[in-house]
Every structure is written in structure tokens, then in C-alpha cells.
């Protein structure tokens, strides 16, 4: 079974439990005024309990709807209920604002109730964020308008992109299948897929650009209205990340760009290119990988490597496969990419892949299962204490990638080692160069959007400039990708701007954690699970301190990038040996 099973949520939209949960939301929300009538710890306790019950129901409803739409973007019933749920949650904003103002009146450090103390971090965060909250009427208007504004633009973009057909040699392919062709061992296939993909966007480019402009315009306005200096500052505050930490990370990345690009130059030289690597060769295998990794084979390999780290990690992945938590292969009207959703109220996860039987797909499985294991480690927390910020959310996923990649190297032949290292370095290029280009693109797009809607032509120009600056002489500037903004979903989420630097943060933090695991393999797995279990109730800098890591210290990030440099040196050596065999 290669499609996920959602029955643990609901069996259908007509399931009586689905309808009851939908109808119960408003009833629960009506209880708040009674609880707020007295300023007592008992009343605050009841408010927290009710918030938890409401959030559990919203989570179940949202994931059933959203997962249904991700697997079948043309599901009209799911679209209908998404609008209905958005309208219900928008109508609840007023009570939420009053609750938060009520919470802010308490001297939280003096509260004796253990249940309140258990939620001290999130309550303090609510109190501290009050300065960014508008009055009840304004927040309610914004919430309702988003349903016909940014959320509508986001849904429209998803529907448009998922419907795009790419014509290659007279045959129409779904976009997701064409994206997988970038990994083909055949150069002509890669080239045809690249040019056909770019051509396929052209009829839709203004529509997609309009969606992006609509969303970013709304973000700029609401961010300023709430008192943030910029969407980037808002992103850092939501990420529980100091700007100092982000600047340290970006500075170290930028400083190491020239040496990281050496991988691209090595690959370009080996494949016979003189002016840098063309975009369509980014994922070209430099050596023939005869092995195909079916999902059954690939997922079992992931499970086996997970067990070398800990029984808990291996058991989690085994359970996920056996219980059909994954939607595996690409198909028409299915969203692209890959993701994990942790359904905290059920202590379960669901995984979407567009699996293409390559080793890189095996690594993607490890990545998404890492997200799922993160959710599992939060299983003993209440749902309010499980909302970890974006950057730390990419740590467990990248850590699991490293486990599988390093494990694969141990038993690999010299040729297989090249394949594995190439995949590792390809991901590193994504984390360093591509993520930096995305950060530059989004920063500059926001600046352009301040002047008015941004055309597709200008959007492509901004993207190309960002790619040239990030990839430098590692890529052939005649063959870049001006439409990378068109299908990447991260740019279109109005609630989370700059969903790019979290990948760099998570990947480089994960490499640092893996180095610590190697020094202490017996005890680190337990420390690691403890580390993940507190990620929903601490600032990022404090989470790192539980493992004696200082995120504002350049030397920590440099030590992680040094691991990538070592891999580049090894890759170069193995490739030289392979050429002379």
C-alpha cells in the first residue's frame, strides 16, 4: 500500500467524529468568558485545559483536510471544509486575544499550580508577544480577510502548480515526475526535463507571480501593523532565535562559499564543462549507480541504519511503515516535494514523498522520518509544549540523514562511496548555496514588493541575481533556474516568512550533534531524545545549551562546515582514483 491511511483521524468527511469535532469547537470557545470572570490560578488552569482541547480538535481537523488535499489537490470536498475550518478558527480569534491579555495580567513566576508551571514557557511567550498583538476587532478582521487573501492565493498557487503538465517528446508528464528526472543517469533526459520544465511554467508565470505578490504584500502590511521592524525580525521572533545567532550563521556560510563551491567545480570538470556546472547537471550522477532503490528496499535500509543509533529510532520507522503512514509515489494532482506532519494529539505522523527509486530518495525518507521521530520524542508533552520553532525543526531530520549517509559509507564499494558522498555533498550545496540564494531572493522580493506588485519578469530577475551571488562560479550562469520561486511552497506560507535559513541552521546543527554522538555513542542517544523533548518550551539558544553548545560562537558553525569540506576532499580523491582505474 503506497498511499497513506488517515483512518486514525477520520474515515471520511462524513465521519460523525469529524462533524462532531467541527461543531464542538465553537461550544468550547464559548466557555472562555466564564473562566476569565475571575483572576485566579484555577481559572487560568481551566483556560489552559480548554486551549489544549480546542487545539487537539483543530489539529485533527486541519491535518485530515490538508493531507487529503496534498494527496489529491482536486478534492472539492476537502477544499470546502478547509474554507469552513478557516472561517471557524477566524471567528475564534477574538476570544484568543482576550485569553492572551488575561494571561498577561498574571505574575506567572508566582503561580503555584503545577499545571501552570508546566506551561510557564509558552505562557511567558504569550505575555511577551502582547506588544505585537492588535486589538480584538483588528485581529478578527485580519484573520477573516486572510481566508480570501493570502490563504486563497496559497491554495490557488498549489492548484495551478499541481495541474501543470510538462511536455517532453510529445508526452505530457506531471511536474513532480519531471523534477525527478533531474536525477536520471541519461544526460539527454536531464536536459530535456530542464528545458521542458522551464517552458511549462511560462503560461502560468504571471498567475503564480501574482499569488506570490499578493501573499508578500499582505505579510509586509500586517508585519508593520503589528510593530515588527520587518518580516525577517518577525520570523526570528517566531523562531525563538536571536538575530545575533542568525547573523553568525549567515556570516560563516558566506565566508565559506568559495570552498563549498569547489564541489561544483570538481563535478563540472569531471562531466566536461568549462564554465561551471549547468543547473540541469546539479543532480547528475557522476558515476553509474546500477542499484535501484525501491521504496521497500530503501525504507528497510533506513530502518537498519536507524537501529545502529538506537532501538527507539528504529522502532519508530518500522511502526510508521507497517501502519501505512506514508504516501509514496508521484502522481497527477499530488503536491510536489516531501514533508512530514506530526499529529501530536494522536502521537502519530504522516509522510508525503515523491519517491523516484534513487539513493537520494532514500535519504529523503530518512530526513522525513527524522521529523517524525522528533514528534515522537515530544509525545509526553501536552500539545501546547510541542510547538517547536522552524530552525530546530530541521535538526532531527538532518541528523537522521547523516546517520543513514555515514552508515551507508561503511559497507560501500569505492563506486558506491562516490554515489553516497555525491548525494551528501549535493544536499550540502542545497543547505549552503541554495538556501543562501533563497534567503537573498526572499529578502529582495520583499524590498521590491514595497514598491508595488512584482511581475514575473522582475521576480525571475531577482531569482537569477540571488543564484549568481550564492553559487558564484560554481554554476554556468547561462543555465540557471529563473523559476525556482514558482514551485517551492515555502515562499507562499503567509504565516512563516523566510522558511529557508531554518534548513541551514538545522543541517549544520545536526552535523555538530553527530560529531558529539561519535565521541559518546553509548550515552548520546538518550541525551539526544531529551534534547528533542524540550524543543517546544525553550528558546533555541537555551535548547542548545542543554548540550553545552553556544549558537552565537562562530567556531561551532565552522566546525560543522569543516565536516562538509572534509567530504569534498574525500570525494575529490575517490573521483581521481575512479578515473584512473
Amino acid at each position: 500500500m503506497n498511499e497513506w491511511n488517515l483512518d486514525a483521524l477520520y474515515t471520511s468527511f462524513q465521519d460523525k467524529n469529524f462533524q462532531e469535532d467541527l461543531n464542538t469547537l465553537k461550544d468550547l470557545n464559548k466557555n472562555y468568558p466564564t473562566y476569565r470572570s475571575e483572576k485566579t490560578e484555577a481559572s487560568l488552569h481551566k483556560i489552559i485545559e480548554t486551549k489544549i482541547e480546542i487545539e487537539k480538535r483543530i489539529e485533527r481537523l486541519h491535518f485530515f483536510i490538508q493531507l487529503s488535499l496534498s494527496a489529491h489537490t482536486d478534492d472539492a470536498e476537502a477544499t470546502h471544509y478547509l474554507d469552513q475550518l478557516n472561517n471557524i478558527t477566524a471567528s475564534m480569534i477574538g476570544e484568543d486575544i482576550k485569553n492572551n491579555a488575561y494571561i498577561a495580567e498574571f505574575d506567572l513566576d508566582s503561580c503555584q499550580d503545577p499545571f501552570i508551571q508546566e506551561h510557564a514557557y509558552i505562557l511567558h511567550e504569550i505575555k511577551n508577544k502582547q506588544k505585537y498583538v492588535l486589538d480584538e476587532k483588528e485581529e478578527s478582521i485580519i484573520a477573516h480577510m486572510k481566508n480570501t487573501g493570502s490563504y486563497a492565493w496559497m491554495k490557488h498557487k498549489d492548484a495551478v502548480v499541481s495541474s501543470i503538465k510538462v511536455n517532453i517528446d510529445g508526452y505530457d508528464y506531471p511536474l513532480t515526475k519531471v523534477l525527478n528526472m533531474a536525477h536520471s543517469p541519461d544526460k539527454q533526459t536531464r536536459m530535456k526535463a530542464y528545458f521542458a520544465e522551464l517552458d511549462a511554467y511560462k503560461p502560468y508565470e504571471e498567475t503564480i507571480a501574482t499569488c506570490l505578490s499578493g501573499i508578500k504584500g499582505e505579510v509586509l502590511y500586517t508585519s508593520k501593523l503589528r510593530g515588527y521592524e520587518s518580516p525577517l525580525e518577525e520570523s526570528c521572533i517566531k523562531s525563538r532565535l536571536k538575530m545575533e545567532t542568525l547573523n553568525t550563521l549567515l556570516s560563516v556560510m558566506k565566508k565559506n562559499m568559495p570552498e563549498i563551491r569547489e564541489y561544483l567545480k570538481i563535478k563540472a570538470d569531471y562531466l566536461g564543462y568549462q564554465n561551471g556546472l549547468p543547473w540541469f547537471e546539479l543532480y547528475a550522477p557522476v558515476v553509474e549507480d546500477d542499484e535501484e532503490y525501491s521504496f521497500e528496499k530503501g525504507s528497510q535500509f533506513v530502518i537498519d541504519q536507524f537501529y545502529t543509533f538506537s532501538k527507539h529510532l528504529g522502532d519508530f520507522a518500522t511502526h510508521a511503515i507497517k501502519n501505512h503512514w506514508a504516501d509514496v509515489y508521484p502522481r497527477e494532482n499530488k503536491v510536489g516535494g516531501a514533508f512530514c506532519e506530526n499529529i501530536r494529539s494522536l502521537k502519530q505522523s504522516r509522510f508525503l514523498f515523491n519517491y523516484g527509486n534513487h539513493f537520494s530518495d532514500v535519504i529523503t525518507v530518512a530526513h522525513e522520518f527524522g521529523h517524525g521521530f522528533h514528534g515522537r520524542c515530544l509525545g509526553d508533552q501536552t500539545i501546547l509544549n510541542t510547538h517547536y520553532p522552524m530552525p530546530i525543526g530541521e535538526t532531527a531530520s538532518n541528523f537522521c540523514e547523516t546517520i543513514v549517509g555515514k552508515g551507508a559509507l561503511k559497507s560501500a564499494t569505492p563506486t558506491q562511496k562516490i554515489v553516497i558522498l555525491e548525494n551528501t555533498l549535493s544536499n550540502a550545496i542545497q543547505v549552503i548555496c541554495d538556501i543562501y540564494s533563497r534567503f537573498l531572493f526572499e529578502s529582495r522580493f520583499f524590498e521590491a514588493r514595497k514598491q508595488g506588485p512584482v511581475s514575473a519578469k522582475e521576480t525571475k530577475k531577482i531569482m537569477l541575481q540571488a543564484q549568481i551571488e550564492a553559487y558564484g562560479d560554481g554554476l554556468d550562469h547561462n543555465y540557471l533556474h529563473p523559476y525556482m520561486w514558482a514551485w517551492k511552497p515555502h515562499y507562499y506560507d503567509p504565516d512563516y516568512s523566510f522558511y529557508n535559513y531554518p534548513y541551514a541552521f538545522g543541517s549544520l546543527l545536526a552535523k555538530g550533534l553527530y560529531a558529539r554522538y561519535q565521541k559518546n555513542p553509548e550515552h548520546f542517544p538518550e541525551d539526544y531524545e531529551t534534547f528533542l523533548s524540550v524543543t517546544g518550551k525553550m528558546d533555541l539558544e537555551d535548547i542548545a545549551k542543554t548540550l553545552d553548545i553556544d549558537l552565537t560562537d562562530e567556531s561551532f558553525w565552522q566546525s560543522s562546515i569543516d565536516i562538509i569540506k572534509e567530504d569534498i576532499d574525500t570525494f575529490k580523491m575517490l573521483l581521481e582514483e575512479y578515473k584512473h582505474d
Side-chain angles (χ1 to χ4, degrees), residues 315-343:
D315 285 349
F316 171 81
T318 300
H319 185 78
I321 295 295
K322 285 185 176 178
N323 287 275
H324 307 295
W325 288 2
D327 192 298
V328 180
Y329 292 106
R331 61 178 178 274
E332 191 173 341
N333 292 320
K334 176 180 173 180
V335 298
F339 65 72
C340 162
E341 295 289 9
N342 288 321
I343 309 168

Side-chain angles (χ1 to χ4, degrees), residues 149-162:
S150 56
Y151 290 160
W153 286 122
M154 182 169 59
K155 284 191 295 182
H156 184 54
K157 188 278 304 181
D158 284 344
V160 169
V161 172
S162 66

